[in-house]
Amino acid sequence: MQYFGIPTCPYCRKHVNLIRTWKLKREGEYKCPRCGGISNIYLSPLVYVFSVLAICAGVCIYFFHKFVLDDIGLFTCLYIFIPFAAFFLLSLFTVYLKKPVIKRVQRPAPDVRRKPQGQPRRTRMDDTFSEINTGRYDTRH
């Protein structure tokens, strides 16, 4: 299993374009344009490591500029933004494709003791029409 690199189709081994990979990160399924195979999209566990590193690097850069250099300016925001831009670019390489697992469900065996189709179904009819006298229906005309 390759957790870092350019994603490839598990059926035909064709590499996926990085621009398409950027779009795929938000979807759940990928259909290969070459072979038509459908595969699931997964993110590598390295995404979490890279995100924590980007956050820690941004915080360290801020505290370095705030307490050591004592200069907070417009370029400080740019320096803090650099680890997050690097994370964004590295996250493109943490997408991988996997064949879906199709689980087959066994259906229960049909019941052989069913009634023959020729007999009509009988329902119980109430000949007393007791609902009429309950007040539910207006009997005055």
Side-chain angles (χ1 to χ4, degrees), residues 1-6 42-55 86-96:
M1 182 72 47
Q2 180 181 358
Y3 286 132
F4 189 78
I6 298 174
Y42 293 102
L43 292 177
S44 170
L46 292 174
V47 171
Y48 304 112
V49 175
F50 292 151
S51 66
V52 169
L53 288 175
I55 292 169
F87 166 71
F88 176 74
L89 293 174
L90 283 175
S91 68
L92 293 176
F93 297 102
T94 59
V95 176
Y96 65 94

Short mmCIF file of all heavy atoms in Angstrom, two decimals, residues 1-6 42-55 86-96:
data_model
loop_
_atom_site.label_atom_id
_atom_site.label_comp_id
_atom_site.label_asym_id
_atom_site.label_seq_id
_atom_site.Cartn_x
_atom_site.Cartn_y
_atom_site.Cartn_z
N MET A 1 0.84 -1.17 0.00
CA MET A 1 0.00 0.00 0.00
C MET A 1 0.88 1.24 0.00
O MET A 1 1.75 1.39 0.83
CB MET A 1 -0.89 -0.03 1.24
CG MET A 1 -1.84 1.11 1.35
SD MET A 1 -3.22 1.12 0.22
CE MET A 1 -3.83 -0.51 0.32
N GLN A 2 0.64 2.09 -0.95
CA GLN A 2 1.43 3.30 -1.08
C GLN A 2 0.65 4.45 -0.44
O GLN A 2 -0.41 4.83 -0.90
CB GLN A 2 1.70 3.59 -2.55
CG GLN A 2 2.52 4.82 -2.77
CD GLN A 2 2.72 5.08 -4.25
OE1 GLN A 2 2.27 4.32 -5.08
NE2 GLN A 2 3.38 6.16 -4.55
N TYR A 3 1.21 5.01 0.66
CA TYR A 3 0.53 6.08 1.36
C TYR A 3 0.98 7.47 0.92
O TYR A 3 0.38 8.46 1.28
CB TYR A 3 0.76 5.96 2.87
CG TYR A 3 -0.04 4.85 3.50
CD1 TYR A 3 0.57 3.95 4.36
CD2 TYR A 3 -1.38 4.69 3.24
CE1 TYR A 3 -0.15 2.94 4.96
CE2 TYR A 3 -2.12 3.68 3.82
CZ TYR A 3 -1.50 2.82 4.68
OH TYR A 3 -2.21 1.82 5.26
N PHE A 4 2.06 7.56 0.17
CA PHE A 4 2.54 8.85 -0.29
C PHE A 4 2.99 8.72 -1.74
O PHE A 4 3.79 7.86 -2.08
CB PHE A 4 3.72 9.33 0.58
CG PHE A 4 4.12 10.75 0.30
CD1 PHE A 4 3.38 11.80 0.81
CD2 PHE A 4 5.22 11.03 -0.48
CE1 PHE A 4 3.73 13.10 0.55
CE2 PHE A 4 5.58 12.33 -0.75
CZ PHE A 4 4.84 13.37 -0.23
N GLY A 5 2.45 9.54 -2.59
CA GLY A 5 2.82 9.52 -4.00
C GLY A 5 1.63 9.92 -4.85
O GLY A 5 0.57 10.28 -4.35
N ILE A 6 1.82 9.84 -6.15
CA ILE A 6 0.75 10.17 -7.08
C ILE A 6 -0.23 9.00 -7.11
O ILE A 6 0.18 7.85 -7.27
CB ILE A 6 1.32 10.44 -8.48
CG1 ILE A 6 2.26 11.65 -8.43
CG2 ILE A 6 0.20 10.70 -9.48
CD1 ILE A 6 2.99 11.90 -9.72
N TYR A 42 -9.29 7.27 -0.56
CA TYR A 42 -8.88 7.31 0.84
C TYR A 42 -7.76 8.32 1.01
O TYR A 42 -6.99 8.57 0.09
CB TYR A 42 -8.38 5.93 1.30
CG TYR A 42 -9.45 4.88 1.34
CD1 TYR A 42 -9.56 3.94 0.32
CD2 TYR A 42 -10.35 4.82 2.39
CE1 TYR A 42 -10.54 2.97 0.35
CE2 TYR A 42 -11.33 3.85 2.42
CZ TYR A 42 -11.42 2.93 1.41
OH TYR A 42 -12.39 1.97 1.44
N LEU A 43 -7.69 8.88 2.20
CA LEU A 43 -6.58 9.76 2.56
C LEU A 43 -5.62 8.98 3.44
O LEU A 43 -6.03 8.26 4.35
CB LEU A 43 -7.08 11.00 3.29
CG LEU A 43 -7.89 11.98 2.46
CD1 LEU A 43 -8.38 13.12 3.33
CD2 LEU A 43 -7.08 12.51 1.31
N SER A 44 -4.36 9.18 3.20
CA SER A 44 -3.32 8.50 3.95
C SER A 44 -3.29 9.00 5.40
O SER A 44 -3.63 10.16 5.68
CB SER A 44 -1.98 8.76 3.29
OG SER A 44 -0.93 8.32 4.09
N PRO A 45 -2.89 8.17 6.34
CA PRO A 45 -2.73 8.64 7.72
C PRO A 45 -1.66 9.72 7.87
O PRO A 45 -1.62 10.43 8.87
CB PRO A 45 -2.34 7.38 8.49
CG PRO A 45 -2.67 6.23 7.62
CD PRO A 45 -2.70 6.72 6.22
N LEU A 46 -0.82 9.87 6.86
CA LEU A 46 0.20 10.91 6.90
C LEU A 46 -0.39 12.31 6.86
O LEU A 46 0.27 13.28 7.24
CB LEU A 46 1.17 10.75 5.72
CG LEU A 46 2.07 9.52 5.75
CD1 LEU A 46 2.85 9.42 4.45
CD2 LEU A 46 3.01 9.59 6.93
N VAL A 47 -1.64 12.45 6.42
CA VAL A 47 -2.29 13.75 6.39
C VAL A 47 -2.34 14.35 7.79
O VAL A 47 -2.09 15.54 7.99
CB VAL A 47 -3.72 13.63 5.81
CG1 VAL A 47 -4.49 14.91 5.97
CG2 VAL A 47 -3.65 13.24 4.37
N TYR A 48 -2.64 13.53 8.78
CA TYR A 48 -2.74 14.02 10.15
C TYR A 48 -1.37 14.45 10.68
O TYR A 48 -1.26 15.45 11.39
CB TYR A 48 -3.36 12.95 11.05
CG TYR A 48 -4.70 12.50 10.53
CD1 TYR A 48 -4.88 11.21 10.03
CD2 TYR A 48 -5.79 13.36 10.52
CE1 TYR A 48 -6.10 10.79 9.55
CE2 TYR A 48 -7.02 12.96 10.03
CZ TYR A 48 -7.17 11.68 9.56
OH TYR A 48 -8.38 11.28 9.07
N VAL A 49 -0.35 13.71 10.32
CA VAL A 49 1.01 14.07 10.74
C VAL A 49 1.41 15.40 10.10
O VAL A 49 1.93 16.30 10.78
CB VAL A 49 2.01 12.95 10.35
CG1 VAL A 49 3.43 13.37 10.65
CG2 VAL A 49 1.66 11.65 11.07
N PHE A 50 1.16 15.55 8.80
CA PHE A 50 1.51 16.79 8.12
C PHE A 50 0.72 17.98 8.66
O PHE A 50 1.24 19.09 8.75
CB PHE A 50 1.29 16.66 6.61
CG PHE A 50 2.24 15.72 5.93
CD1 PHE A 50 1.86 15.03 4.79
CD2 PHE A 50 3.52 15.50 6.42
CE1 PHE A 50 2.73 14.17 4.15
CE2 PHE A 50 4.40 14.64 5.79
CZ PHE A 50 4.00 13.98 4.65
N SER A 51 -0.54 17.75 9.01
CA SER A 51 -1.34 18.86 9.54
C SER A 51 -0.83 19.32 10.90
O SER A 51 -0.75 20.53 11.17
CB SER A 51 -2.82 18.46 9.63
OG SER A 51 -2.99 17.43 10.58
N VAL A 52 -0.48 18.39 11.76
CA VAL A 52 0.07 18.76 13.07
C VAL A 52 1.40 19.47 12.90
O VAL A 52 1.68 20.47 13.59
CB VAL A 52 0.20 17.50 13.97
CG1 VAL A 52 0.99 17.80 15.22
CG2 VAL A 52 -1.18 16.98 14.33
N LEU A 53 2.24 19.01 11.98
CA LEU A 53 3.51 19.68 11.73
C LEU A 53 3.30 21.09 11.20
O LEU A 53 4.03 22.02 11.59
CB LEU A 53 4.36 18.87 10.75
CG LEU A 53 4.96 17.58 11.29
CD1 LEU A 53 5.68 16.83 10.18
CD2 LEU A 53 5.91 17.87 12.43
N ALA A 54 2.33 21.30 10.33
CA ALA A 54 2.07 22.64 9.80
C ALA A 54 1.57 23.58 10.89
O ALA A 54 1.99 24.74 10.96
CB ALA A 54 1.05 22.56 8.66
N ILE A 55 0.70 23.07 11.76
CA ILE A 55 0.19 23.91 12.86
C ILE A 55 1.32 24.26 13.82
O ILE A 55 1.46 25.43 14.22
CB ILE A 55 -0.97 23.19 13.58
CG1 ILE A 55 -2.18 23.10 12.66
CG2 ILE A 55 -1.32 23.90 14.87
CD1 ILE A 55 -3.27 22.20 13.17
N ALA A 86 2.62 24.60 2.26
CA ALA A 86 3.36 23.35 2.05
C ALA A 86 2.48 22.15 2.40
O ALA A 86 2.52 21.12 1.69
CB ALA A 86 4.63 23.35 2.90
N PHE A 87 1.69 22.26 3.45
CA PHE A 87 0.76 21.18 3.81
C PHE A 87 -0.25 20.95 2.69
O PHE A 87 -0.57 19.81 2.35
CB PHE A 87 0.04 21.50 5.12
CG PHE A 87 -1.15 20.63 5.37
CD1 PHE A 87 -0.99 19.31 5.71
CD2 PHE A 87 -2.44 21.13 5.26
CE1 PHE A 87 -2.09 18.48 5.93
CE2 PHE A 87 -3.53 20.32 5.48
CZ PHE A 87 -3.36 19.00 5.81
N PHE A 88 -0.76 22.03 2.13
CA PHE A 88 -1.74 21.90 1.04
C PHE A 88 -1.12 21.17 -0.14
O PHE A 88 -1.76 20.28 -0.73
CB PHE A 88 -2.23 23.29 0.62
CG PHE A 88 -3.15 23.25 -0.55
CD1 PHE A 88 -4.45 22.81 -0.41
CD2 PHE A 88 -2.72 23.65 -1.80
CE1 PHE A 88 -5.31 22.77 -1.49
CE2 PHE A 88 -3.56 23.60 -2.89
CZ PHE A 88 -4.86 23.17 -2.73
N LEU A 89 0.10 21.51 -0.49
CA LEU A 89 0.75 20.84 -1.62
C LEU A 89 1.09 19.39 -1.31
O LEU A 89 0.96 18.50 -2.16
CB LEU A 89 2.00 21.61 -2.04
CG LEU A 89 1.73 22.99 -2.64
CD1 LEU A 89 3.04 23.72 -2.89
CD2 LEU A 89 0.91 22.88 -3.90
N LEU A 90 1.53 19.11 -0.08
CA LEU A 90 1.84 17.72 0.29
C LEU A 90 0.59 16.85 0.39
O LEU A 90 0.65 15.64 0.18
CB LEU A 90 2.60 17.69 1.62
CG LEU A 90 4.07 18.07 1.56
CD1 LEU A 90 4.65 18.11 2.97
CD2 LEU A 90 4.84 17.09 0.71
N SER A 91 -0.55 17.47 0.72
CA SER A 91 -1.77 16.69 0.86
C SER A 91 -2.24 16.13 -0.48
O SER A 91 -3.02 15.17 -0.51
CB SER A 91 -2.87 17.52 1.51
OG SER A 91 -3.29 18.55 0.64
N LEU A 92 -1.79 16.70 -1.58
CA LEU A 92 -2.14 16.15 -2.89
C LEU A 92 -1.54 14.77 -3.10
O LEU A 92 -2.07 13.95 -3.85
CB LEU A 92 -1.67 17.08 -4.00
CG LEU A 92 -2.36 18.43 -4.10
CD1 LEU A 92 -1.70 19.27 -5.18
CD2 LEU A 92 -3.83 18.27 -4.38
N PHE A 93 -0.44 14.50 -2.43
CA PHE A 93 0.25 13.22 -2.59
C PHE A 93 -0.16 12.17 -1.55
O PHE A 93 0.42 11.10 -1.51
CB PHE A 93 1.76 13.44 -2.53
CG PHE A 93 2.27 14.31 -3.64
CD1 PHE A 93 2.58 15.64 -3.40
CD2 PHE A 93 2.42 13.81 -4.91
CE1 PHE A 93 3.04 16.45 -4.42
CE2 PHE A 93 2.89 14.61 -5.94
CZ PHE A 93 3.19 15.94 -5.69
N THR A 94 -1.13 12.51 -0.70
CA THR A 94 -1.56 11.56 0.32
C THR A 94 -2.89 10.90 -0.02
O THR A 94 -3.47 10.21 0.81
CB THR A 94 -1.69 12.27 1.69
OG1 THR A 94 -2.62 13.33 1.57
CG2 THR A 94 -0.35 12.79 2.16
N VAL A 95 -3.37 11.10 -1.23
CA VAL A 95 -4.61 10.47 -1.69
C VAL A 95 -4.24 9.14 -2.35
O VAL A 95 -3.29 9.08 -3.12
CB VAL A 95 -5.35 11.38 -2.69
CG1 VAL A 95 -6.58 10.70 -3.23
CG2 VAL A 95 -5.71 12.70 -2.04
N TYR A 96 -4.98 8.09 -2.02
CA TYR A 96 -4.77 6.82 -2.72
C TYR A 96 -6.10 6.18 -3.04
O TYR A 96 -7.12 6.46 -2.39
CB TYR A 96 -3.84 5.87 -1.94
CG TYR A 96 -4.36 5.37 -0.63
CD1 TYR A 96 -5.01 4.15 -0.56
CD2 TYR A 96 -4.18 6.09 0.54
CE1 TYR A 96 -5.47 3.66 0.65
CE2 TYR A 96 -4.64 5.62 1.75
CZ TYR A 96 -5.29 4.40 1.79
OH TYR A 96 -5.75 3.93 2.98
#
